[in-house]
Amino acid sequence: MHILNTTFEDIRLMKIRGAGRIARAAVKALGDYGTSLDVGVSSEFVAKIREAGEYLKGARPTAVSLPNAINYVVLNFEKEAKDMEDVASLKRVLKKYCELFVERSESAVEKIGLIGARLIQDGDTILTHCNSEAAISVILTAHNQQKNIKVFCTETRPKGQGYLTSSKLAKNGVDVTLIVDSAVNFFIKKVDQVVVGADAIYVNGAVVNKVGTSQVALVANQAKCRFMVAAESYKIAPNTFVGESIPIEERSPDEIAPKEWAQENKEVKIRNPSFDITPPKYIDSIITEVGIFPPEGIILLYKETYGLG
Ligand code: RUB
């Protein structure tokens, strides 16, 4: 179980973070675990893969990319491996679907960049929150197309993912300014478009992303500033079709307040939700690898993906 435990802990402790990276890391770990398994009987191999998949799904609760990625691999693997007797062939099939997922996921981010960049005009100022590969792909593609853009990055309390985003953009030559989360309203008049990623998308087009995203959306809406979400199609949460909600991870208070202060102020309660939900009415478009959707149109993509059309 070593490779599984390491990846599980790396995701839980946010050494691996961001919905796309979490999904790819979990799938890679599942593939490596399969390769390393020393079992002689095919049914035992299949059972162990199923069990490992379920275990990995529990690493973080909100990013639906994680269960969706594991389900994609395990369901396809089981379907193809149904009549296979030898474990070596099972290992090959498992590896094939793991690699396929990773390839598709990486190419989706690239395609989102190309599609999303079409919506960015020369001279635009963009604001982004947190650290999303998909949102960065849109911004960097526009920049690489020689569009003259400026970017505001929020700091993204409490974990400071905005430091990662602003550093990456600056290293790629983008004109970038880091601001505290609470300065969004101060700067919004200068912003033409907000671009953020997603951890999960409700079938009704509501978007779950880093806490604070919905506040940015409200501010953008009031300022009549466009709000774009960049997300791979596997971030759609199928269970929301039957009315289930997406759990919002609540992390340790230690991420917010210094330990000493918390010790001295035990009577102060601290809450640390890691994500929030932006309603569809505040979202102009959701950019996926298969095209641009208004949030209300995500139901169509859901039906196509799950063969319900
Ligand atoms: C990361 C976050 C990102 C989404 C999308 O939160 O909210 O915006 O995961 O990222 P955390 P990507 O840092 O808590 O994981 O586009 O890279 O999948």
Side-chain angles (χ1 to χ4, degrees):
M1 291 288 268
H2 182 258
I3 172 74
L4 294 182
N5 291 339
T6 312
T7 304
F8 183 97
E9 282 303 298
D10 284 353
I11 294 174
R12 190 179 69 82
L13 298 170
M14 292 177 67
K15 287 184 193 158
I16 300 170
R17 44 146 303 283
R21 283 198 198 91
I22 289 173
R24 288 194 294 276
V27 159
K28 278 183 193 155
L30 189 64
D32 291 346
Y33 170 69
T35 306
S36 73
L37 261 182
D38 189 16
V39 292
V41 185
S42 60
S43 58
E44 195 185 338
F45 184 85
V46 174
K48 282 201 176 297
I49 294 303
R50 224 180 265 161
E51 187 193 345
E54 289 309 308
Y55 169 70
L56 285 167
K57 283 182 196 175
R60 271 189 94 183
T62 301
V64 78
S65 53
L66 174 57
N68 281 354
I70 298 286
N71 288 342
Y72 167 84
V73 169
V74 175
L75 294 177
N76 281 301
F77 158 71
E78 286 195 25
K79 205 162 130 194
E80 192 167 325
K82 202 161 38 82
D83 302 318
M84 286 179 180
E85 296 293 335
D86 69 309
V87 172
S89 305
L90 292 180
K91 286 186 177 185
R92 267 198 303 278
V93 175
L94 177 69
K95 199 82 191 161
K96 180 179 84 177
Y97 282 109
C98 290
E99 285 169 0
L100 203 58
F101 175 81
V102 172
E103 254 171 58
R104 286 185 178 175
S105 165
E106 284 170 350
S107 105
V109 173
E110 235 178 272
K111 285 182 191 154
I112 287 169
L114 286 166
I115 296 170
R118 285 193 225 138
L119 299 182
I120 293 182
Q121 310 299 317
D122 190 32
D124 271 1
T125 296
I126 295 156
L127 183 140
T128 189
H129 182 59
C130 197
N131 176 250
S132 153
E133 281 186 321
I136 289 174
S137 177
V138 171
I139 295 168
L140 282 183
T141 307
H143 171 73
N144 293 337
Q145 291 169 347
Q146 314 301 327
K147 288 178 186 163
N148 180 21
I149 53 170
K150 290 191 171 70
V151 179
F152 283 107
C153 288
T154 55
E155 190 181 26
T156 316
R157 281 272 292 154
K159 294 288 278 182
Q161 289 90 335
Y163 290 89
L164 299 172
T165 305
S166 53
S167 165
K168 168 136 193 177
L169 293 177
K171 283 188 177 125
N172 281 278
V174 178
D175 177 334
V176 60
T177 307
L178 184 69
I179 61 172
V180 295
D181 301 353
S182 40
V184 170
N185 197 37
F186 184 87
F187 288 111
I188 199 72
K189 285 275 182 306
K190 296 185 189 301
V191 176
D192 300 290
Q193 313 233 21
V194 174
V195 185
V196 294
D199 283 83
I201 305 174
Y202 276 77
V203 169
N204 74 354
V207 165
V208 182
N209 192 48
K210 178 54 55 192
V211 71
T213 302
S214 65
Q215 259 169 238
V216 175
L218 272 170
V219 169
N221 183 265
Q222 230 208 337
K224 300 196 174 11
C225 167
R226 288 182 58 80
F227 190 94
M228 183 200 301
V229 176
E232 304 87 317
S233 57
Y234 65 85
K235 306 239 176 106
I236 300 173
N239 292 353
T240 60
F241 187 63
V242 289
E244 280 188 28
S245 51
I246 296 163
I248 299 292
E249 175 182 16
E250 181 130 1
R251 296 185 64 85
S252 164
D254 298 351
E255 290 181 354
I256 293 187
K259 268 212 166 88
E260 271 171 37
W261 183 92
Q263 282 292 332
E264 282 166 22
N265 294 279
K266 286 204 177 79
E267 67 284 3
V268 179
K269 297 193 264 310
I270 300 176
R271 297 284 309 271
N272 185 16
S274 201
F275 301 96
D276 66 19
I277 303 174
T278 301
K281 66 178 173 183
Y282 297 129
I283 299 169
D284 290 297
S285 44
I286 300 181
I287 318 299
T288 76
E289 72 279 15
V290 292
I292 302 172
F293 292 81
E296 298 77 14
I298 282 296
I299 182 83
L300 303 174
L301 182 56
Y302 162 77
K303 285 186 171 172
E304 200 180 295
T305 310
Y306 291 91
L308 303 171

